[in-house]
Amino acid sequence: MACAALASAVRRAAWAVALAGQQRQAWVASAESCTGGRVSAALTRLPGSSAWTHGGVVSYSNHAKTQLLGVAPDLIAAHGAVSEAVARAMAEGLRQRLDVQHGCCVAITGIAGPDGGSAAKPVGTVWFALASARAGHAAGLSTQAVRYCYAGGREQIQLQATHTALSLLHAGLIRLGHGSQPSGRWGGAPESADSP
């Protein structure tokens, strides 16, 4: 998909998050690595975004992931920065640090290229995690994770990952309204995606 079409899809996804956040009086926040702040930028471009956007962290280096989000260095050493374990730790660390009691925090860590890929983790590999919290529910905390493998150049990969992150935020907000508290990985989520 061309970058212009992807950018349009990102704008639509951001509006969907905004509407769901307003309807549920819930916060959203993002911990970004390979997307470099694109999720936060998409949300805060919208008028009135302070009503649903809590904040965002660009934790590009491993040191930033540790210092800003509390990701354990041993976890990064054991699994790599681009991994399910680190994505989960990023999302949960953001939820704790921003004290999100009702809403969703998304984390994105991946390889946008053109360098940095390997046979096990090729360029385009991105892990996402979504940490959700429901106010007034003792069992209201949950974290899901999913991996995508995108095709395209660096900007295409970043835009696709941004779109996915926004879509996950929207889906998480919708679930807040329906009382569902899934755990583990996202059921039926693809391991690869050429387009959002």
Side-chain angles (χ1 to χ4, degrees):
M1 186 180 292
C3 287
L6 286 168
S8 178
V10 164
R11 288 191 293 271
R12 291 193 300 271
W15 273 112
V17 171
L19 291 173
Q22 286 179 316
Q23 290 168 355
R24 287 155 181 79
Q25 296 183 317
W27 292 107
V28 297
S30 60
E32 304 182 60
S33 184
C34 65
T35 47
R38 286 177 181 260
V39 174
S40 288
L43 292 170
T44 56
R45 281 193 185 101
L46 304 179
S49 57
S50 60
W52 65 86
T53 302
H54 201 345
V57 171
V58 178
S59 53
Y60 206 72
S61 69
N62 291 344
H63 182 70
K65 291 176 177 65
T66 297
Q67 293 298 111
L68 300 176
L69 300 170
V71 180
D74 289 349
L75 192 71
I76 298 174
H79 299 278
V82 181
S83 63
E84 177 178 358
V86 169
R88 285 177 177 273
M90 289 170 63
E92 291 167 359
L94 183 70
R95 180 176 62 192
Q96 292 167 6
R97 278 165 163 68
L98 294 186
D99 192 26
V100 176
Q101 298 183 18
H102 186 67
C104 299
C105 299
V106 69
I108 310 105
T109 180
I111 306 166
D115 302 318
S118 66
K121 297 177 182 179
V123 169
T125 301
V126 182
W127 271 101
F128 300 86
L130 187 80
S132 304
R134 290 189 68 200
H137 290 256
L141 301 179
S142 69
T143 305
Q144 302 90 37
V146 64
R147 184 187 74 167
Y148 280 73
C149 293
Y150 300 107
R154 183 176 179 84
E155 186 173 5
Q156 287 176 308
I157 290 169
Q158 289 178 322
L159 284 168
Q160 289 175 90
T162 299
H163 181 270
T164 298
L166 291 166
S167 297
L168 294 178
L169 282 173
H170 180 254
L173 291 170
I174 295 300
R175 276 194 302 278
L176 285 182
H178 290 86
S180 175
Q181 291 298 323
S183 60
R185 293 190 182 182
W186 288 73
E191 285 290 313
S192 64
D194 290 338
S195 62

